[in-house]
Amino acid sequence: MSKQIEVAVLTNETGAHLGAYFSALKTTEAVKSVFLADPSGKQVDLARKELGTKLSQVYPQAEALFQNHKPELALVTMEARQAPAAIDLALEQGSHVLSEKPACLNVSQFEPLVQKAESKHLNLSLALANRTNPEIQYARTLIREGTLGKIYGVELQLLADQTRLTRPAYHGSWYAHKDQAGGGFLSWLAIHWLDLSMYLTGASINEVSGFTANAGGQPLDVEDSAAFALRYDAGFLGTLTAGFYLKQGYQSMIKIWGSKGWLEMLPFADRPLDWSVNHNGKLYRFEKPLEPRGYTPAVRKAVLAAAGESEPLLTSRESLRIIQTVYACYGAASTGKKQAVPGL
């Protein structure tokens, strides 16, 4: 068995994906015990239900938790406005951090956290769980081994349901308010696809230009629609189309073209990965198991990294890179001018 560690979950009534996080911690053998800090008290029942005997103690405040325990990993899930203080506390107490995105309202809040993590030799990883999906790992290997040759271009598409935006409960949630969330579709969902484009190709986005809009006209002060042109530091270009456009479900695409072939990923159309090489007209399909995927393997990877037995889900610098990219997109949309993404 791997080394076992203790994990703190720092959350409140606004915590996202807690069911998935608790389930992942429960099934990860390297997790010895979990401590919960929830000032609202509203997540305690769920934690007890999902974690069972792994839930060792509940605290009303994170400060009290850290006074009594020194967990190797802190999992932070709360609204973007509240996350920086929680992350800072966990890092100060010597815990690696896995945080729900976007974890901040702007780059100036996040960059000092990365600096603190690095100064303490800790990991600060955003929970961009799609990285661990089997088809993503396979596609990354294809590209890294040169199967597609020199990358020429990228097209990204991620669409979700507009229906959720019509509900009064959503109008009152933190997701709908820029001063609490930092942004809308771009920082909550499209952040995954922007990150995957860089993770798959090994190239960073260094310049962006584009627009955001409230296409559906719901009473939100964040965007439900985004379209961007992307320049990568390896010299190729890409595009992103993203928004709450559908009645239900998701549509998505990641397409990458290279000098020796192309690949296409349509996960919500039951075509997780197809590719073609050498322009021979032959189509190859990923037919290996699609599990495990999602939060369980991502949390497991973060736990093993905190135990010193794995690379982190994202390095602190990779987490900063995607935050810089997302907020450069917002800068381009608000100014009408292309924005450079700072180099790391």
Side-chain angles (χ1 to χ4, degrees):
M1 181 182 294
S2 301
K3 172 186 174 182
Q4 288 191 304
I5 68 167
E6 296 179 332
V7 178
V9 177
L10 312 183
T11 191
N12 54 31
E13 71 277 7
T14 69
H17 302 138
L18 274 166
Y21 286 129
F22 289 148
S23 177
L25 292 170
K26 173 70 177 297
T27 58
T28 299
E29 291 185 357
V31 175
K32 179 181 179 181
S33 55
V34 178
F35 308 105
L36 175 68
D38 174 18
S40 73
K42 293 183 177 179
Q43 309 296 354
V44 176
D45 288 346
L46 178 63
R48 286 176 176 154
K49 176 184 176 183
E50 295 292 337
L51 287 166
T53 58
K54 272 197 177 180
L55 180 62
S56 293
Q57 203 159 350
V58 175
Y59 291 90
Q61 300 294 335
E63 291 82 358
L65 187 159
F66 286 110
Q67 285 174 2
N68 290 279
H69 308 282
K70 297 297 179 184
E72 288 90 339
L73 176 66
L75 196 162
V76 177
T77 175
M78 54 185 64
E79 65 187 64
R81 177 178 59 177
Q82 299 169 327
I87 294 171
D88 185 70
L89 174 63
L91 292 172
E92 189 63 36
Q93 296 300 315
S95 294
H96 300 281
V97 174
L98 175 66
S99 179
E100 183 60 64
K101 75 317 183 192
C104 62
L105 298 177
N106 50 58
V107 175
S108 63
Q109 288 183 335
F110 197 77
E111 191 166 18
L113 300 175
V114 170
Q115 293 171 350
K116 175 171 283 192
E118 292 184 334
S119 72
K120 291 178 171 290
H121 305 289
L122 298 169
N123 304 321
L124 170 51
S125 296
L126 293 178
L128 299 176
N130 291 286
R131 281 188 171 207
T132 63
N133 292 350
E135 72 278 10
I136 295 294
Q137 290 295 312
Y138 194 89
R140 187 170 189 260
T141 299
L142 286 176
I143 294 170
R144 294 301 174 91
E145 291 180 346
T147 302
L148 302 188
K150 180 181 179 181
I151 301 302
Y152 286 162
V154 173
E155 185 175 356
L156 310 171
Q157 181 186 98
L158 182 60
L159 308 175
D161 64 288
Q162 174 78 199
T163 307
R164 74 180 77 179
L165 307 189
T166 66
R167 298 168 183 149
Y170 194 95
H171 301 161
S173 71
W174 68 272
Y175 306 102
H177 300 281
K178 188 175 182 179
D179 62 350
Q180 295 173 261
F185 194 101
L186 191 63
S187 61
W188 182 242
L189 290 177
I191 186 173
H192 287 285
W193 262 228
L194 289 169
D195 176 65
L196 287 179
S197 75
M198 294 187 282
Y199 180 67
L200 288 167
T201 63
S204 292
I205 297 168
N206 63 3
E207 196 171 41
V208 299
S209 181
F211 306 94
T212 61
N214 183 342
Q218 294 298 320
L220 319 170
D221 64 2
V222 295
E223 82 285 352
D224 69 358
S225 179
F228 283 90
L230 315 166
R231 185 186 297 276
Y232 293 75
D233 61 4
F236 60 87
L237 305 178
T239 62
L240 168 71
T241 300
F244 291 111
Y245 296 163
L246 309 175
K247 181 178 180 180
Q248 61 185 14
Y250 289 86
Q251 292 178 9
S252 71
M253 178 180 67
I254 297 174
K255 193 158 187 176
I256 301 173
W257 293 271
S259 60
K260 295 182 180 179
W262 54 265
L263 66 77
E264 182 177 65
M265 311 177 81
L266 300 170
F268 296 102
D270 296 324
R271 287 171 50 198
L273 172 61
D274 293 337
W275 70 98
S276 181
V277 295
N278 298 324
H279 309 290
N280 60 10
K282 185 175 181 180
L283 188 66
Y284 302 89
R285 178 155 292 176
F286 182 77
E287 296 180 341
K288 297 186 178 186
L290 296 176
E291 299 291 341
R293 63 193 301 104
Y295 285 98
T296 294
V299 169
R300 182 177 294 118
K301 190 170 182 65
V303 168
L304 292 176
E309 298 187 5
S310 171
E311 294 298 315
L313 179 65
L314 280 79
T315 66
S316 300
R317 286 279 147 173
E318 287 175 323
S319 296
L320 177 58
R321 179 183 66 180
I322 189 59
I323 291 296
Q324 290 173 326
T325 302
V326 166
Y327 284 102
C329 288
Y330 284 128
S334 64
T335 64
K337 299 178 180 179
K338 64 182 180 182
Q339 299 288 306
V341 181
L344 297 180

